[in-house]
Amino acid sequence: MIRSIAPSDIVAIAPDSGIDAAVHGWRAKCLQRLVRMDLPVPPSHALAAGAVRALAQGAVLDLDVLRALFQGGTGLLSVRPSAVKPEWGGPGTVLNVGINDACHARLVETRGQKAADSIYLGFVQAYAQNVARLDFDSFDSGGENALQRALALYRQEMDEDFPQDPARQLAEVLRSMARAWDAPTARILRSAKGAPQDAPLGLVMQQMALAIGPGVTGSGTIQTVDSVTGLPVMTGRFKGQMQGPAKGQGAQTMYLTRDTRGDSLEDLAPELFADLVGYCAAAREKLRDEMQIEFVLSDGKLSILDAVRVNRSSRAAVRIAVALAQDGVIAPAEAVMRIEPRALSELMHYQTDPNAPRDIIARGIDASPGAATGRIVFSAAAAQASAARDEPCILVRRETLPEDIRGMHASVGVLTERGGMTSHAAVIARGLGLPCIVGATGISIDPRARLLHCGTRSFREGEEITIDGTSGEVLAGAPALLEPALDDSFNQLLDWADDFRDMGVRANADTAEDAHTALMFKAQGIGLCRTEHMFFDEIRLPIMREMIFADTPEDRRIALARLLPIQRQDFAELFRIMAGLPVTIRLFDPPLHEFLPQHREGMRELAESLDLPLSDVTRRIEALSEFNPMLGMRGVRLGVTVPEIYDMQARAIFEAAIAAAAIGAPVVPEIMIPLVSARREVEIVKTRVDAVAAAVRTETGTDFTYRLGVMVETPRACLRAGDIARHTSFLSYGTNDLTQMTYGLSRDDAGRFMGTYVQQGVYPEDPFHILDEEGVGELLLLGTERARRVQPGITISVCGEHAGNPQTIAFCHRAGMDYISCSPFRVPVARLAAAQEAIRSKAQPKG
Amino acid sequence: MIRSIAPSDIVAIAPDSGIDAAVHGWRAKCLQRLVRMDLPVPPSHALAAGAVRALAQGAVLDLDVLRALFQGGTGLLSVRPSAVKPEWGGPGTVLNVGINDACHARLVETRGQKAADSIYLGFVQAYAQNVARLDFDSFDSGGENALQRALALYRQEMDEDFPQDPARQLAEVLRSMARAWDAPTARILRSAKGAPQDAPLGLVMQQMALAIGPGVTGSGTIQTVDSVTGLPVMTGRFKGQMQGPAKGQGAQTMYLTRDTRGDSLEDLAPELFADLVGYCAAAREKLRDEMQIEFVLSDGKLSILDAVRVNRSSRAAVRIAVALAQDGVIAPAEAVMRIEPRALSELMHYQTDPNAPRDIIARGIDASPGAATGRIVFSAAAAQASAARDEPCILVRRETLPEDIRGMHASVGVLTERGGMTSHAAVIARGLGLPCIVGATGISIDPRARLLHCGTRSFREGEEITIDGTSGEVLAGAPALLEPALDDSFNQLLDWADDFRDMGVRANADTAEDAHTALMFKAQGIGLCRTEHMFFDEIRLPIMREMIFADTPEDRRIALARLLPIQRQDFAELFRIMAGLPVTIRLFDPPLHEFLPQHREGMRELAESLDLPLSDVTRRIEALSEFNPMLGMRGVRLGVTVPEIYDMQARAIFEAAIAAAAIGAPVVPEIMIPLVSARREVEIVKTRVDAVAAAVRTETGTDFTYRLGVMVETPRACLRAGDIARHTSFLSYGTNDLTQMTYGLSRDDAGRFMGTYVQQGVYPEDPFHILDEEGVGELLLLGTERARRVQPGITISVCGEHAGNPQTIAFCHRAGMDYISCSPFRVPVARLAAAQEAIRSKAQPKG
């Protein structure tokens, strides 16, 4: 049923009128606050959202009620959208509603022919486009007699004169804006910003303050911080003879503050400028944020039309929030809540300057944030050579393999043709804090010709490109970059965050370098040290291969004995750096074939170095190859069937712990068993590790303690967590593998269709990016509940890639995780996200 | 505390004495039944299990109590074990307890020197070995004066004369048997037969009926059926002058029944023989089974020592049970319960004759039962060539690939070096009812030299070998085989089973041949038709490849249009054969790269046939290759991203259903979507399938109905079964894939360590063989409960390989599955297992 709009649906915006942001929108509420602050806001009225919706559905407006709004002032109105949140947008503002021939004639007298024509023409154009739905371009002819031509064209197209009744004009504008709100594109755009399906829209009608006319007249905006840096500086613009975004005839821009280069508002109207500065300060204080104020000067009279939150870069957002809290305007908790955790990663890396030109040659998945410029290299060897020449390089590969790690270390950025958010390249790059783009569509690599093809363009090895891992864009050449901003504000914000945080944050760290980064970002320990990455360097890989080719356990033990001191050194170094903080070491995980050469050439070399016939080598490699390596002979399955490897690692850990204690960095190492699916696997490994511990204690005469835990990566380990918890001090969910197995989806192969899947809404998100709470999440909750039922004191955490994602961190907090562990460069994000979830959960107590 | 044995622990076995099988064991109970039947059983006493246990722990025996047992008769006793169940075994029987010099002297008089010596020597040997723990061989010298030498040796070793007090002899024998029961090997052996850790042992002491002496004297066994065939025939043995298994001096074997070849008991003692036959009939009737009776004839006097269940082959077991039920001795339900379902598969295939010699050259996993002899071939092509020459062949491969299917069809058996219970070879072979051994340890194949190496022996292509897929043994040459036994008894048993069964049994069938087999075994429909197997033949594969190489959806549709009539024909044929029974068709599942050649040669041929450069072909194949195909672009993921394939299949199904209805085989086809992990996947496919249905209805002017369902193979589909059930008529668990994902374990790669894992008890069973009820089973229960909560009428089933396993069938029954679907050759096993579970669940109503 279509209702008619009641007079009570239109409320005058006054200090004590009943304005409600949920009904009238944020803009109406904000204007009321400005009114309450005694700012010179022109008379304004708010139309309630219910009425707007009714209008869209054909409700009738009483023109007499509308007519009253034009009384006093210029007799003209602006109409602006007022959604519940500014970011939900809304239809474009319409200015100068109410202008007609009579009003135009009056304006010619008071403001001159040019100003009057400009104002009337602007409205005719807006009306023709938005209300009458005519082609805007036809009305945008410009030049002499533009107004007359526009009015004539309107008459011709619509078969009637341009409407002269201001109330009818207003009624049509309101209805057109109400309908525009329901357009599909508008819906999609605002739902992307989190608006619900039935998001309401209020409208604000304000008396026009004319910015065209005699004297110091014009419109402008002013704010007291820089939008990019967040530093305190009076900034904005003032354009004489110009109102709103419409093209005014003869508009003239001037500086806001005194400037040697030309006229400034401060010079021309020092008192009004002082008023504006005062208004900004007041608004910051009362509206509790940095505001951009929109004003009109009309022959010396100042009107404040609106105030909106200052647009801001991530780094500006941090500086503003911290400054507000330091000035006592907001509480530290609120400063913490105001920063989108994801935004922090922008502060930690180089960024492409948003204002600089960019020559985009390809797009891919933004796998690791930050920007870097370097010369193209196509192999790990070339990357190392380039690094040796001190020439920054970008490693460009079809995909990366474990043996590329040293090449990645030597590069400033990585670009791969294949792979998704959790491909090898992506995971390693995030760990190294290296900008990385994977799954770049439309590129192809010709390693022989040493060419990178991007669509129709080609780049040779050595040519300079830039990776923007934040946006996923590959750029030609070297655009301007912004430096990281790990400044006082950044640190202050995170220190406050730590005050509220009640869930631990550790880092995944495999190397001394990782550990240093983790400490720099104040991680509370290492939650995942992947020991297999330690076996790929030039010294170790040959011993590793010898071990794999050993014919007997005895031969294997001999090879492992040569790896022992190296591993011990690895762990001792980590313990020393972490200086007593907990370190969780995952025992060897990958299938052995990852350590063997994949190509004929490498096999030949291996055969030579092992002094074996080539056929022996190829046969062994073939025998170790697997159909589905992800689901094969790895993790604890190796630990059970080739137990010598874990024996060696356990010994290295214990001996390193003793060494660390001796230099004053006592540690209780945490040994984690990967890929468990049954209780008995844990018992078998535990028995052997305990035996190694006993042997080391006896040999060294030194006592030490350690904790044994399980990496929960299979759905079965979640289901049987009660069983498994009986034998373990901690459980840590490896959510990458768990996601793979829960979905039956390999992270390496998912890239091929994940785009389509997310686009079609088959999956709401890439589950390797944001934890699937409905499926994988249920397994986490179930496992946690079962483990705690058996052993209430057990430590439970998440150490997968997801642990760096704010949404997942919030889930982990709700799930009662003791800590999460993420890439070192994700630690600040995690600290902030965890703090926010803690604050939220205190604000809304459970149950 | 060690108790002494009370007189009440020894009970005389009499019709009304308190003999309890749980206390005195099966033998005591059985003897009591024989006594009640008035059979001439020598006086017998039972020693209770509690007393036996106490004895082992050192309890004291009152020798006077024992001495009373020797009174009357021969003055000698036998002592036999009497566990709760015969199959739990027990220490060996000891005969002639109580013999000493005086008794020996009496026997010399009544039975002669030779008989007396033989009896005394036998006991001295048994006593020396079992009680005194002396070396048996020293006492087994034979020849003249053997008795004297044995007694002297005993004196020398034990430093005392051979004990002359019968009561002391008995006490020691009882104690030694009690202790033997606790020996570790005995424990392991009986726990393998299902005995509990603390299984009790009773002992039976029986007056000896001497089988050595004058007149028609000897011992024998008699039964009325053949142990191998189960056919009614009087069979057994009679040995004159021989007692028990001990070597008697001058023992003489004769025929039991009248025989032209020599003496028979029937001729020598016709009346006694008639008595025996009568006793057999009575025992069958009263003990409700075919019994083997052990008897002694002592100079014309008949004693019945014991009766045990007739040892029987699987085929004999079926015939005996059915005959007993037909004769009204047992109820049909009991006949159904008496047959181990697994045993049925022995009846359905050729078997190696258990009595024939066998030359075992290798062992592997018994992947598909039955035996077959054929010439070795190393390729599918060679197999087809061999079949064309009508020469049976065994296909020997490292592992089989989908392209080997036609080669498997052409073979009588399959042997692979790699793989486990659910490898490709195993699954296909079971489907074809083809004997198959996979993961054969110690064999290696040299395809170039065309040699099969088995340890130190080698076999050329063309040489004859035999596969015993029931035992997992590979045999050289062509040993004797037994024919299948799909006779009246087999069918009668299964018809009875169907009377009790309350869960449906369907077959997995991909071809017309499968469907015929399924019908022959009375499957109630097809539960899983895998359509991808239809695309591997010579005509279809090239079209399939053209489809894969299509550059546009339009080209793809053109290729698919050529497959449409072929698919339609496939389905029409299935519907016609199944004549109205339900048919569930799984939409295309495997990754596309399975249809492309893997080797350079094949790629070259493909390039030629598609008229493309080789590099295009290799590039496309490389682009389609996957790290983990099991977790990649397959199933519904293909359906969503390349929807034209499912469109074609849906159309083929609907058009075939219309054609089937026209020839009087109306069917409601069931379309199943594979590898679902999210609700939206189902919605997308459903929308397209519905659209195809609507189009076919319009084009043909014919109405039809169909059911759309989901194959639940991912843990996530189980967790989200509530969501998914909203859009589907049925869910069918694909437990192979579900097991792979729940464990994070590829069935193809698990073979490498599954042996070790099961051996070490890491997994109690191979979870690809017997469903893991704790993990995968919980997901089944959870998914079923969630689906039924949303849609109580939904049909739920299991269609994985597990569905043929009796233990898993029992689980499925408890889980409330509507039906299970297994390989056609597993259908009889499933029907029987399901019936047994139904009977069991009625006997023990739930909670």
Side-chain angles (χ1 to χ4, degrees), chain A residues 6-59:
Chain A
S8 64
D9 287 324
I10 299 176
V11 183
I13 298 178
D16 51 0
S17 58
I19 300 292
D20 178 352
V23 174
H24 302 100
W26 72 272
R27 192 186 301 274
K29 194 67 206 171
C30 179
L31 282 172
Q32 186 181 44
R33 290 199 180 110
L34 297 178
V35 169
R36 283 179 183 157
M37 287 158 64
D38 268 337
L39 264 51
V41 177
S44 307
H45 288 80
L47 181 62
V52 173
R53 175 154 303 136
L55 263 185
Q57 292 162 356

Side-chain angles (χ1 to χ4, degrees), chain A residues 93-423:
Chain A
T93 293
V94 179
L95 300 179
N96 300 314
V97 182
I99 195 165
N100 52 18
D101 295 347
C103 179
H104 176 253
R106 274 198 311 279
L107 285 174
V108 170
E109 282 173 28
T110 54
R111 311 259 162 177
Q113 183 74 42
K114 211 162 137 186
D117 279 8
S118 165
I119 291 171
Y120 199 176
L121 176 62
F123 180 66
V124 172
Q125 287 171 339
Y127 194 90
Q129 182 187 11
N130 297 314
V131 179
R133 305 274 165 193
L134 301 176
D135 180 15
F136 177 79
D137 290 341
S138 332
F139 285 84
D140 193 27
S141 57
E144 289 292 305
N145 293 324
L147 174 60
Q148 275 64 38
R149 272 183 282 119
L151 288 169
L153 182 58
Y154 184 91
R155 196 177 308 118
Q156 183 187 325
E157 292 279 342
M158 300 300 290
D159 218 10
E160 63 161 0
D161 281 340
F162 190 78
Q164 295 293 308
D165 179 1
R168 186 188 150 203
Q169 286 180 6
L170 179 57
E172 296 297 341
V173 165
L174 291 174
R175 189 186 312 284
S176 75
M177 290 174 78
R179 290 200 169 136
W181 181 248
D182 281 338
T185 0
R187 281 178 180 279
I188 291 168
L189 284 174
R190 67 178 177 261
S191 83
K193 301 277 183 179
Q197 269 301 307
D198 56 351
L201 175 73
L203 291 171
V204 166
M205 296 159 286
Q206 190 179 56
Q207 287 268 357
M208 287 295 299
L210 294 180
I212 304 177
V216 181
T217 292
S219 63
T221 58
I222 183 169
Q223 64 189 52
T224 57
V225 293
D226 183 272
S227 283
V228 172
T229 64
L231 290 170
V233 49
M234 195 59 64
T235 173
R237 61 168 173 74
F238 179 74
K239 292 190 174 179
Q241 304 304 329
M242 170 89 172
Q243 58 185 13
K247 279 183 231 161
Q249 301 285 335
Q252 56 182 110
T253 302
M254 65 178 75
Y255 294 101
L256 207 59
T257 52
R258 188 163 299 134
D259 199 296
T260 53
R261 289 165 295 176
D263 286 350
S264 74
L265 184 65
E266 187 172 8
D267 275 334
L268 278 176
E271 282 165 32
L272 294 175
F273 181 77
D275 283 351
L276 273 176
V277 171
Y279 294 159
C280 281
R284 179 178 190 260
E285 174 94 19
K286 295 287 178 188
L287 302 182
R288 306 172 59 255
D289 203 348
E290 291 291 349
M291 304 303 286
Q292 184 191 55
I293 287 179
E294 190 182 343
F295 63 92
V296 162
L297 269 185
S298 202
D299 199 11
K301 184 172 176 288
L302 180 59
S303 298
I304 301 298
L305 306 188
D306 211 349
V308 296
R309 286 180 67 247
V310 160
N311 204 352
R312 62 200 75 183
S313 72
S314 296
R315 53 190 78 199
V318 171
R319 206 167 263 145
I320 290 169
V322 169
L324 284 169
Q326 281 170 333
D327 294 346
V329 177
I330 59 174
E334 186 162 354
V336 165
M337 291 305 286
R338 282 192 182 179
I339 305 302
E340 169 64 41
R342 239 177 286 266
L344 285 191
S345 73
E346 279 183 39
L347 279 68
M348 295 159 59
H349 301 97
Y350 278 90
Q351 295 295 313
T352 52
D353 185 334
N355 302 318
R358 45 178 54 202
D359 176 11
I360 299 170
I361 56 176
R363 283 171 213 275
I365 298 170
D366 45 333
S368 178
T373 301
R375 297 181 187 282
I376 295 172
V377 293
F378 291 112
S379 70
Q384 288 176 268
S386 183
R389 291 193 306 272
D390 266 342
E391 286 178 3
C393 65
I394 305 282
L395 180 61
V396 180
R397 302 279 284 165
R398 180 162 295 169
E399 69 226 343
T400 64
L401 298 168
E403 58 220 44
D404 291 324
I405 286 187
R406 291 177 67 81
M408 293 178 72
H409 261 285
S411 310
V412 297
V414 177
L415 168 64
T416 71
E417 189 182 335
R418 292 171 69 169
M421 272 309 282
T422 47
S423 61

Side-chain angles (χ1 to χ4, degrees), chain A residues 515-547:
Chain A
H516 281 299
T517 310
L519 269 192
M520 177 175 78
F521 290 131
K522 298 189 186 168
Q524 294 164 290
I526 293 178
L528 174 62
C529 169
R530 284 164 293 226
T531 52
E532 56 272 17
H533 293 159
M534 299 173 171
F535 295 112
F536 280 107
D537 84 7
E538 286 143 10
I539 297 168
R540 305 174 187 198
L541 192 53
I543 312 179
M544 198 64 196
R545 289 173 170 176
E546 227 169 89
M547 190 275 289

Side-chain angles (χ1 to χ4, degrees), chain A residues 631-632 637, chain B residues 739-740 743-747 750 753-754 763 767-768:
Chain A
L631 307 178
R637 293 162 193 165
Chain B
T739 300
Q740 300 195 76
Y743 275 89
L745 184 56
S746 151
R747 65 183 191 192
F753 60 91
M754 190 54 81
Y763 298 157
F768 293 115

Side-chain angles (χ1 to χ4, degrees), chain A residues 73-91:
Chain A
T74 54
L76 299 178
L77 295 178
S78 68
V79 186
R80 290 169 198 254
S82 178
V84 174
K85 293 191 174 183
E87 60 266 30
W88 294 357

Side-chain angles (χ1 to χ4, degrees), chain A residues 622 631 716 746 778 786, chain B residues 398 631 746 772 778 786:
Chain A
E622 211 174 309
L631 307 178
R716 196 173 192 280
S746 151
E778 184 181 1
R786 290 179 183 187
Chain B
R398 178 161 293 167
L631 308 178
S746 151
D772 158 46
E778 186 182 358
R786 290 179 184 188

Side-chain angles (χ1 to χ4, degrees), chain A residues 504-521:
Chain A
V505 174
R506 297 193 192 177
N508 302 344
D510 305 341
T511 63
E513 200 181 332
D514 289 346
H516 281 299
T517 310
L519 269 192
M520 177 175 78
F521 290 131

